[in-house]
Amino acid sequence: MSHVMDTYARQPVAFVRGEGVWLWDETGKKYLDALAGIAVNTLGYGHPKLKKALSERIDSGVLHTSNLWRIPSQEAAADRLAEITGLDEVFFCNSGLEANEAAIKIARKYGHERGIAEPALIVMEKAFHGRSLATLSATGSRKVQAGFEPLVSGFVRVPLNDLDAVRQVAEHNRNVAAVMVEPIQGEGGINVARLEYLRGLKEICERQQWLFISDEVQCGLGRTGKWFVYQHAGFLPDVVPLAKGLGSGVPVGACVAGGRAKGIFKPGNHGSTFGGNPLAMTAVITTIDTIKEEGLLANAARVGELIRGGLPHAADIVEVRGMGLMIGVELARPCGELVKQALDAGLVLNVTADSVVRMLPPLIMSEAEGREVLDRLVPVLTAFLEKRAAA
Ligand SMILES: Cc1ncc(COP(=O)(O)O)c(C=O)c1O
């Protein structure tokens, strides 16, 4: 019996080697990876630039120093994030929930500075922001919250893509200091916020002087064909929490702030022992530079389009959703067993929100490999739908 705490329903497969978009399990079986460790392995496996940069970091002997001292690689990583986000300052942490905790703290402090005694954030139904007490309270899923009450207060929930609901809150609730939204909900089922909606939300934020927090932990960092989803909508948010793909497999998160959120945190307001250490910063710098050097934004758009366009039309496929290499296929019924069936066919994917097949491939996936995803997925999907139709 394993001594690992039993918090996950794991598949009985272990990947022990990887190269490009390919993985091998303990028996030597080869798989095509259309999940990237849930949007983490941006550069796939064994990318030569990442291997070289991390090896050099290890050779330097300095993996960690602490935020008591200057960290030049942290400054260099922050410069890059400021450039690609269009925002001003970066707090580094180690995960998505930490990036969101920082965002929630910034929103509360911003509210207090505006004279709001009990600042609140507007959050969305079906959102996922993490599993700390504050971020699970912000999350729009009873399954995530159940058993952990009392929840953290100060969150007002509205449906995604419903501006009237936000206007109603604006009219009746004087405590709101910020809106927090995933522009494409990942765990919730690849639910895409309409760009018109995002622009409308931004306008309301401007009018009300609320912070706009764009949780791009899953959808950000190039996956949709631009660095960030708000760039498709054409405006700047105030806060952008990031993690997952930021370090291509090295754990790292970041809370990027600008606009009204700039300068809210002062020395002593927030901290993290590991946050922004030289090992993680080397991964961030290399990930961002490689996305640029290898044209991976355009690649994500192109290969994503190819995969979405090649999915079959069938009565039991409710909708194909997403942007770039963030792809959801909603089926008419729960389809958890598809994960195992895809593994059997040598394809790694995931099912979320019970009935949505989710693919988040590495951004280095080529068009040929995208076609290979379809070659493996379509028969599995078709067999699943036919079997269910016959049952
Ligand atoms: C949009 C979003 N925010 C936050 C998180 C939490 O990130 P982490 O698991 O690194 O704490 C996730 C994780 O799935 C996410 O998808």
Side-chain angles (χ1 to χ4, degrees):
M1 205 197 103
S2 164
H3 292 285
V4 175
M5 199 179 276
D6 193 17
T7 60
Y8 301 100
R10 298 174 197 267
Q11 294 289 329
V13 57
F15 300 115
V16 292
R17 190 165 80 78
E19 202 180 305
V21 295
W22 299 93
L23 284 166
W24 284 262
D25 72 12
E26 290 166 303
T27 70
K29 179 172 168 170
K30 188 177 174 186
Y31 301 80
L32 179 53
D33 180 21
L35 192 61
I38 322 181
V40 168
N41 299 314
T42 305
L43 304 180
Y45 303 91
H47 194 289
K49 288 179 187 163
L50 188 61
K51 268 164 87 168
K52 179 164 181 286
L54 291 177
S55 302
E56 284 170 9
R57 171 57 61 199
I58 289 167
D59 288 344
S60 77
V62 179
L63 302 186
H64 178 86
T65 55
S66 111
N67 287 302
L68 295 172
W69 327 112
R70 266 194 61 221
I71 303 178
S73 54
Q74 189 179 117
E75 294 163 11
D79 287 349
R80 281 164 174 77
L81 277 174
E83 187 211 316
I84 64 173
T85 56
L87 302 182
D88 298 301
E89 47 184 38
V90 188
F91 176 83
F92 285 104
C93 51
N94 313 286
S95 66
L97 82 80
E98 286 176 69
N100 282 330
E101 282 280 343
I104 294 165
K105 281 180 69 175
I106 288 174
R108 283 191 168 190
K109 189 145 186 295
Y110 170 78
H112 283 288
E113 286 179 9
R114 293 187 55 218
I116 304 173
E118 299 207 356
L121 284 82
I122 294 182
V123 290
M124 304 294 151
E125 287 174 8
K126 298 188 184 168
F128 184 83
H129 296 297
R131 298 211 184 234
S132 66
L133 281 171
T135 57
L136 76 80
S137 303
T139 288
S141 155
R142 277 304 296 155
K143 223 159 99 183
V144 170
Q145 296 171 341
F148 302 107
E149 298 83 357
L151 300 181
V152 172
S153 60
F155 296 104
V156 183
R157 197 167 307 283
V158 296
L160 185 71
N161 282 327
D162 182 349
L163 279 181
D164 277 341
V166 178
R167 288 189 197 107
Q168 290 262 329
V169 177
E171 218 170 286
H172 298 110
N173 190 330
R174 297 280 126 215
N175 288 337
V176 175
V179 173
M180 181 151 90
V181 58
E182 295 165 82
I184 303 179
Q185 293 181 335
E187 302 307 300
I190 315 294
N191 304 316
V192 183
R194 288 193 306 274
L195 297 182
E196 266 315 301
Y197 169 79
L198 291 174
R199 284 191 279 266
L201 200 53
K202 171 67 179 171
E203 262 175 47
I204 297 174
C205 285
E206 285 301 305
R207 226 176 10 252
Q208 302 290 333
Q209 299 191 322
W210 296 342
L211 300 184
F212 189 115
I213 304 172
S214 190
D215 177 352
E216 304 228 8
V217 166
Q218 188 162 148
C219 61
L221 242 276
R223 183 155 290 285
T224 63
K226 289 192 188 281
W227 286 107
F228 303 102
V229 179
Y230 63 80
Q231 292 166 345
H232 291 280
F235 64 83
L236 281 180
D238 301 288
V239 183
V240 183
L242 298 172
K244 286 195 182 281
L246 185 57
S248 287
V250 175
V252 59
C255 181
V256 190
R260 293 193 171 88
K262 186 179 171 193
I264 296 290
F265 272 167
K266 307 274 188 309
N269 284 153
H270 204 47
S272 162
T273 296
F274 289 126
N277 85 10
L279 175 68
M281 294 303 98
T282 300
V284 172
I285 291 166
T286 311
T287 300
I288 293 174
D289 288 354
T290 307
I291 291 174
K292 281 188 191 164
E293 287 159 14
E294 300 190 358
L296 298 184
L297 301 183
N299 187 66
R302 197 165 49 235
V303 180
E305 195 61 45
L306 182 153
I307 295 176
R308 258 192 306 279
L311 288 164
H313 298 276
D316 279 352
I317 296 184
V318 177
E319 198 178 16
V320 176
R321 295 193 286 266
M323 288 172 99
L325 287 174
M326 184 163 193
I327 301 166
V329 187
E330 183 175 353
L331 305 187
R333 55 180 76 92
C335 59
E337 66 253 46
L338 266 174
V339 172
K340 165 82 169 57
Q341 291 163 9
L343 281 176
D344 290 345
L347 179 65
V348 181
L349 49 67
N350 166 257
V351 168
T352 190
D354 291 333
S355 57
V356 181
V357 178
R358 174 171 56 164
M359 290 181 283
L360 303 157
L363 303 194
I364 55 158
M365 180 171 275
S366 69
E367 291 183 62
E369 289 158 344
R371 278 189 285 275
E372 183 68 35
V373 169
L374 288 169
D375 287 349
R376 293 178 186 221
L377 174 62
V378 173
V380 171
L381 205 53
T382 309
F384 174 81
L385 294 175
E386 278 170 5
K387 202 170 109 216
R388 286 314 197 84

